[in-house]
Amino acid sequence: MRSIGETARDSGLGVSALRFYDRAGVLVPARVDPVSGYRWYAPEQVEEARVLARLRRTGMPLADIRLVLAGWSGADPDLVRTLLRAHLRRLEQGLSEARDEFSALSDLLDHRENPMTSLRTGTVRLSVPAPELAAALDAVRFAAGTDPGLPVLGGILFDLDDGALRVVATDRYRLAVARTGAAGYDGPRVQAVVPAPLADAMRALLTGGEPVRLTVDGDRVTLDDGDRQAAGRRLAHDFPDYRRLVRLPSGRRTVVDVPALRRALETGPVRPDEQDGTPYDVSVLRVADDGAVTVCEDGDDAPDRVAVNRAFLLHALAAGARDRLVLEFGDPTAPLAVRRTDDEHTFSLLMPVRLEN
């Protein structure tokens, strides 16, 4: 028998991925210790795990992978070959269609004007209350992206407009917005995308109660408190128009007890899923007529249910920094909003997970 660590090393699948495929019923270990829950795999399952790793790198759906593995050791490989050829045709067709669409989009970009208002020259200085900026950064930092293919989402947007400074972060699957007051600048809208490490260095300075000075000088952003400063170059990318992303139709709003909801999420039922090859746990929330929110097992598309990445929701609840927060439920396919009861300008949105029955 092979341990889960040995199987992970020899197959190219991570330990967390093997656990995910066990829960999903794709690659179930030959033995599970009834006391410790430790997983053990038969030698022939290592080959199956290697096949699984290759299939997942091609993006084959789990339903097809199950059939491939079921037929892999059989005497007749026709089913496996048929499934492989069908998936290859889907990939080729999808790639051809994607090339056509991207070519059309590229032409549109070449012929449109860029209305971006980011400041590339000149200098802007403003004063920001340190406690407010610290709270704003804490409220959005969890949503910053880590995908190296999308470097602009690895930063935090500083958006100065109408005498207020908004900080925004998104990784596509979640978005967080917070606002703080600002003084000393009343010019046109200015935007700067601050790299996440620089934003973290700025946050470390915000330990006092006095205002700090934020300076945007061309491509350089500086925060100083009089004795110390954090400075660096902003990202040379335009941030998505987050104001479009937060225009949601009104949904059902309910105030939740955050500690109780956290306990329910941490101990309640979950469903395994994956995103870009990374497994994660899905929690399904249901809001009753009286506003009570429960973590349930039923994942159909009823209007009183929404499925979300459990870890993302736990992060959003922690970033909300309140014992009572507002959850706003829309359609099961609409983002779940997490809002503060005392601050309409600080909130986060979580993209729902579509569950296949």
Side-chain angles (χ1 to χ4, degrees):
M1 303 292 285
R2 304 284 188 98
S3 71
I4 189 172
E6 292 171 330
T7 305
R9 182 194 64 217
D10 294 341
S11 67
L13 289 171
V15 170
S16 60
L18 286 170
R19 294 193 185 110
F20 164 74
Y21 293 122
D22 175 19
R23 296 194 301 268
V26 176
L27 184 62
V28 179
R31 179 176 179 271
V32 177
D33 190 295
V35 176
S36 66
Y38 200 79
R39 296 166 171 86
W40 295 90
Y41 293 82
E44 62 270 16
Q45 288 187 293
V46 176
E47 181 184 6
E48 294 183 5
R50 290 173 180 154
V51 172
L52 172 55
R54 289 181 180 275
L55 294 174
R56 288 311 294 158
R57 285 195 291 271
T58 72
M60 178 177 278
L62 285 180
D64 287 357
I65 288 179
R66 287 191 180 94
L67 292 177
V68 169
L69 293 182
W72 186 257
S73 301
D76 185 0
D78 284 349
L79 174 60
V80 173
R81 294 185 188 281
T82 300
L83 289 168
L84 295 179
R85 286 194 296 266
H87 183 54
L88 182 57
R89 285 195 299 270
R90 286 196 300 268
L91 292 176
E92 291 171 342
Q93 179 64 29
L95 180 58
S96 176
E97 294 174 352
R99 283 197 176 113
D100 291 342
E101 296 298 342
F102 282 130
S103 178
L105 290 172
S106 180
D107 290 342
L108 289 174
L109 285 172
D110 290 341
H111 291 87
R112 67 184 290 271
E113 293 183 357
N114 187 354
M116 186 62 189
T117 54
S118 293
L119 184 74
R120 298 298 181 189
T121 59
T123 302
V124 169
R125 295 184 178 87
L126 58 143
S127 175
V128 185
E132 292 185 20
L133 182 55
L137 290 173
D138 290 343
V140 306
R141 179 62 178 86
F142 77 99
T146 57
D147 185 349
L150 292 169
V152 66
L153 301 187
I156 295 178
L157 174 67
F158 283 50
D159 182 13
L160 179 63
D161 191 25
D162 295 332
L165 175 66
R166 291 174 178 84
V167 293
V168 186
T170 182
D171 63 358
R172 293 181 292 165
Y173 308 111
R174 48 192 171 169
L175 180 146
V177 181
R179 191 183 78 166
T180 179
Y185 177 75
D186 58 0
R189 184 181 181 188
V190 173
Q191 292 186 329
V193 183
V194 177
L198 177 55
D200 293 339
M202 291 178 172
R203 174 62 182 88
L205 294 183
L206 301 171
T207 57
E210 298 298 319
V212 293
R213 184 169 65 177
L214 179 68
T215 304
V216 181
D217 186 4
D219 287 331
R220 189 170 180 82
V221 183
T222 304
L223 184 76
D224 70 80
D225 64 358
D227 298 320
R228 302 167 299 166
Q229 74 171 214
R233 300 182 71 85
R234 64 178 176 174
L235 296 177
H237 304 282
D238 292 339
F239 201 82
D241 186 359
Y242 71 93
R243 298 189 181 192
R244 292 173 57 92
L245 302 177
V246 301
R247 297 172 189 163
L248 302 178
S250 59
R252 297 184 60 186
R253 297 168 62 97
T254 184
V255 178
V256 297
D257 180 279
V258 173
L261 180 56
R262 288 187 64 89
R263 288 192 296 270
L265 289 167
E266 291 166 349
T267 61
V270 294
R271 295 189 176 197
D273 207 329
E274 65 175 37
Q275 180 70 51
D276 297 332
T278 302
Y280 65 95
D281 290 328
V282 175
S283 292
V284 182
L285 306 182
R286 178 179 182 179
V287 55
D289 292 337
D290 62 359
V293 176
T294 56
V295 181
C296 61
E297 299 211 28
D298 188 359
D300 61 33
D301 287 335
D304 61 349
R305 295 172 179 85
V306 63
V308 294
N309 182 311
R310 178 175 66 171
F312 287 179
L313 180 53
L314 289 171
H315 293 160
L317 294 176
R322 301 288 189 276
D323 286 337
R324 294 173 68 80
L325 292 171
V326 174
L327 295 189
E328 186 170 297
F329 297 83
D331 184 90
T333 60
L336 171 68
V338 182
R339 306 182 186 275
R340 292 180 178 176
T341 59
D342 58 343
D343 182 2
E344 63 178 311
H345 303 291
T346 300
F347 58 89
S348 57
L349 305 177
L350 306 179
M351 290 301 297
V353 176
R354 178 116 183 155
L355 293 176
E356 297 180 1
N357 294 319

